[in-house]
Amino acid sequence: MGSTRCQLATGHGARGHRTVVHSPRVRNVVISVMLLGACGSNSGGAAAIDAAPIDTAPAPGIDAPAGTEDLDMMASDFECVLHWDKVNAYRITNKLGHDPLPIANNATGGGPFPVGTIIQIVPTEAMVKRRVGFSADTHDWEFFSLGVSSSGTTITTRGTTDVLNAFGGNCLTCHTKAMPAFDLVCGTTHGCDPLPLTESQLVSIQNGDPRCP
């Protein structure tokens, strides 16, 4: 792994979607901040990260019809990443009961991930597969910047085309380099710019998630 990439790797709540609440340990890792800054900076109109925690953000496009399967994440839905399956360097789960592993483990690309899939390579960033039609630009992924501590998770920023990491890198810009068969999910052979961290370093960051018991 080498220079740059923003890898984010996510119901029935307030908007008619299932909300899953999980019990929540992250350490404050400088190396994780390095990762957050791995994407190149973006000059395209993305707002700076607001320090105030948020749960709900305006969804792109129109609201989903009643009964449409979706995963509108709340801060309490995020949990210790070590509870999830590990594929290559990232952690993956699906909160709606679908199995994302056949696609994630397909070395040649398995096409779109099922709605409800959450991918995280570090505890402080995530990508979540929303309903069909949520955002054509992001293949229906929603990106998150998170704050994590032993008391749980806060959502710092969420959205589609304008979510930035801590150093101003645009996450969608990084993920659009993935080959089409990989559904914007980056990996060492997916076409994205390489990360400046080894897999063992990423595992160390994941193991330091303060929400873990």
Side-chain angles (χ1 to χ4, degrees):
M1 296 182 146
S3 57
T4 61
R5 185 182 84 214
C6 175
Q7 171 84 51
L8 298 180
T10 78
H12 291 84
R15 298 183 185 175
H17 312 311
R18 180 174 63 87
T19 300
V20 184
V21 180
H22 296 272
S23 60
R25 154 180 154 265
V26 194
R27 66 186 172 120
N28 186 11
V29 239
V30 173
I31 199 166
S32 179
V33 175
M34 283 175 52
L35 179 61
L36 291 174
C39 288
S41 62
N42 174 57
S43 58
I49 290 177
D50 187 347
I54 58 174
D55 254 340
T56 303
I62 61 174
D63 288 339
T68 299
E69 189 175 42
D70 194 10
L71 181 60
D72 186 1
M73 292 288 284
M74 305 293 285
S76 57
D77 296 329
F78 290 100
E79 60 179 315
C80 167
V81 296
L82 301 182
H83 293 169
W84 303 350
D85 292 300
K86 182 177 179 292
V87 175
N88 299 318
Y90 63 80
R91 296 285 177 166
I92 185 168
T93 193
N94 188 291
K95 297 284 190 180
L96 298 183
H98 304 298
D99 185 4
L101 295 181
I103 295 175
N105 286 313
N106 190 324
T108 59
F113 282 82
V115 60
T117 297
I118 313 169
I119 296 175
Q120 292 193 246
I121 199 166
V122 291
T124 52
E125 294 185 357
M127 57 193 297
V128 177
K129 194 72 165 186
R130 298 294 304 269
R131 67 179 187 270
V132 174
F134 175 76
S135 170
D137 290 334
T138 65
H139 299 193
D140 301 324
W141 289 105
E142 184 178 14
F143 296 104
F144 289 77
S145 175
L146 305 171
V148 291
S149 70
S150 58
S151 60
T153 308
T154 56
I155 298 173
T156 305
T157 309
R158 65 186 296 176
T160 53
T161 61
D162 59 354
V163 174
L164 307 179
N165 60 39
F167 287 82
N170 183 289
C171 293
L172 178 59
T173 299
C174 301
H175 284 270
T176 52
K177 296 180 180 181
M179 292 180 281
F182 294 102
D183 195 25
L184 296 190
V185 174
C186 290
T188 55
T189 62
H190 296 184
C192 300
D193 294 334
L195 288 170
L197 300 172
T198 65
E199 184 170 342
S200 62
Q201 288 173 318
L202 292 170
V203 168
S204 178
I205 293 169
Q206 295 166 7
N207 289 339
D209 187 334
R211 299 165 298 181
C212 301

